[in-house]
Amino acid sequence: MGTVHAKSLDPLPMHGRDLGVSPDDLVETPELEQEAKQEILENKDVVVQHVNIEGLGRTKEDLLGYEISDVFHARNLIDVMKKAHIARQRLLRLGIFKEVEVLIDTSEGADALPNGLDVTFEVTEVKRLTGSYNTMVGNNEGSMVLGLKLPNMFGRAEKLTFQFSYGTKETSYGLSFFKPQPGHFERNFTFNMYKVTGQFPWSSLKETDRGISAELNFPLGVTNHTLKWEGVWRELGCLARSASFAVREESGHSLKSALSHTVSIDSRNSAIFPSGGALLRINQELAGYTGGDASFLKEDFELQLNRRLFWDSVLSASLWGGMLYPIGGQPTCIADRFYLGGPTSVRGFGMYSIGPQSEGDYLGGEAYWAGGLHLYTPLPFRPGKGGFGDLFRTHFFLNAGNLCNLNYGEGPRAHLQKLAECIRWSYGAGIVLRLGNIARLELNYCVPMGVQSGDRICDGVQFGAGIRFL
């Protein structure tokens, strides 16, 4: 019986010890082996009597009880294997164990039932202090990141992280504390303290933010929600002596205190190269009601639809949009406005170089929309199929969009009419490279159209790197 049991577990990352049947017995009685195997697999009365966790140090047992409790509800061997495997994945998801092994054995002891099983999880906890060094890709920028982590600080999957990032346009450091709800890892609380210094050459602007934030993440049905409060002291300055007067007027200190809510529904099978599914993300931000000198209501959304076609090709459509409404009659800040253009949005235009500008400095806008249509196909002749070649795609694209300021004394029809004027659009083709499942690189040949006075274009080859693409 023991050897049969071990064989049945081969497809899963588990193992069990021999339960007392010798190899000689199995060779001499193959019919009994087959009957025993069939009996175990079809037994409807298997009972999980004990679930043990070995190797715990600083981790509290009550936290793990939520993750492994479903194992007790298994009623046959196959069910035990499945639920134990799910429990193993849930334990690894906590980020507090380096390894988790599963042993399934017959029950022993005075209270052992004939059909009783014991399940044992052998865990290896991560170190109290870990360090990391890696590189990150942002929207057309790269950075080096150094980090220190104190995982499982108080024994219930809490995590304290210090991170320093040095990038081509941004330098930051911050301290964050993460706390999940026991039994519901998707429900978690995060508190952050940070300082970020960024350069924005398209606006001749530099910005230093010092702030704190607190956010709560939780699922609700098929949606995921994030509630966040942020208080940030912002210092704006000119990046160059040639900065326009409009940018110089924005220089100085300001304090923003804002509440925001994000809801998303994501049914895509991949964040970078989805072949099916859809994404809807809606974000609202309200500043000024909890203090500070910035007062506005900001709304924006993102929609993406994907459909597989013939020959592993995929048709993808995206739509972005947003509006910034000032409250109290005061003008909006250049740091809060929307920006559009570049290899991650409307391709064929310079980085954030669409819309209102002054003396060559782009000032952003209070309303925008952007749409994209893509046809993704495998590389011609499928080189490296099933391996390195699957990281690449060719794509043909059509992008369009507009960014402007609105007169809020006018009605919605006038707003839509203004957003429909002076539409910038572009088309082209290129090659896309996936970096893990979080970022991608694009090398495109672009043909910009609908160019307006003051727009900066990139006619021809354009390179882009980022985590969010239109």
Side-chain angles (χ1 to χ4, degrees), residues 1 5 17 19 46-52 72 104-120:
M1 176 179 174
H5 184 193
R17 63 182 180 86
L19 303 185
V46 168
V47 176
V48 177
Q49 290 190 262
H50 307 99
V51 177
N52 306 306
F72 283 106
I104 300 177
D105 201 351
T106 54
S107 295
E108 297 178 352
D111 62 341
L113 299 174
N115 59 345
L117 294 178
D118 289 348
V119 179
T120 301

Side-chain angles (χ1 to χ4, degrees), residues 100-382:
V100 177
E101 297 291 339
V102 183
L103 303 175
I104 300 177
D105 201 351
T106 54
S107 295
E108 297 178 352
D111 62 341
L113 299 174
N115 59 345
L117 294 178
D118 289 348
V119 179
T120 301
F121 294 89
E122 294 183 349
V123 301
T124 303
E125 293 182 337
V126 296
K127 296 179 180 179
R128 291 183 178 272
L129 177 64
T130 63
S132 62
Y133 165 79
N134 53 60
T135 56
M136 290 183 62
V137 176
N139 283 333
N140 233 36
E141 66 173 314
S143 58
M144 176 191 69
V145 182
L146 300 174
L148 288 176
K149 296 181 182 179
L150 278 73
N152 207 15
M153 277 190 69
F154 306 118
R156 291 186 173 89
E158 304 89 354
K159 179 171 61 177
L160 185 68
T161 304
F162 173 79
Q163 186 168 284
F164 171 77
S165 173
Y166 181 81
T168 54
K169 295 186 181 72
E170 185 176 281
T171 300
S172 67
Y173 55 84
L175 186 69
S176 68
F177 176 74
F178 172 82
K179 168 67 177 176
Q181 178 182 341
H184 300 278
F185 189 76
E186 300 83 1
R187 301 176 189 169
N188 52 72
F189 172 80
T190 305
F191 178 79
N192 298 291
M193 301 174 62
Y194 60 87
K195 178 182 178 181
V196 181
T197 300
Q199 299 180 357
F200 310 98
W202 48 84
S203 301
S204 298
L205 182 74
K206 62 180 178 180
E207 178 180 355
T208 300
D209 293 347
R210 304 171 181 88
I212 58 175
S213 67
E215 66 180 64
L216 180 66
N217 298 284
F218 59 95
L220 187 61
V222 297
T223 62
N224 290 295
H225 297 256
T226 299
L227 293 174
K228 181 178 180 180
W229 172 82
E230 181 180 38
V232 55
W233 168 27
R234 303 184 295 190
E235 181 181 358
L236 304 181
C238 297
L239 190 60
R241 293 183 178 180
S242 59
S244 64
F245 182 72
V247 172
R248 294 179 184 274
E249 279 188 315
E250 299 275 359
S251 299
H253 298 265
S254 65
L255 183 64
K256 183 180 84 168
S257 176
L259 295 169
S260 65
H261 170 248
T262 302
V263 57
S264 63
I265 304 174
D266 192 353
S267 63
R268 300 173 299 170
N269 53 5
S270 170
I272 304 300
F273 287 159
S275 59
L279 166 70
L280 174 62
R281 182 182 293 116
I282 302 173
N283 181 73
Q284 306 94 28
E285 182 181 6
L286 178 62
Y289 277 81
T290 53
D293 50 20
S295 297
F296 60 84
L297 175 64
K298 191 174 185 179
E299 301 267 353
D300 63 284
F301 73 91
E302 176 182 358
L303 175 65
Q304 184 185 104
L305 303 173
N306 304 278
R307 184 176 181 83
R308 181 187 292 273
L309 303 178
F310 47 86
W311 298 329
D312 290 335
S313 60
V314 176
L315 184 66
S316 178
S318 300
L319 181 64
W320 298 353
M323 185 173 292
L324 177 66
Y325 181 78
I327 297 175
Q330 64 183 40
T332 57
C333 175
I334 190 172
D336 296 318
R337 298 179 195 138
F338 298 106
Y339 291 83
L340 189 64
T344 60
S345 57
V346 182
R347 296 161 179 81
F349 290 81
M351 195 69 178
Y352 300 140
S353 61
I354 289 177
Q357 55 96 22
S358 174
E359 302 174 34
D361 293 334
Y362 294 91
L363 308 177
E366 295 175 347
Y368 87 103
W369 70 269
L373 191 65
H374 294 258
L375 177 64
Y376 295 98
T377 66
L379 292 176
F381 309 112
R382 304 298 294 268

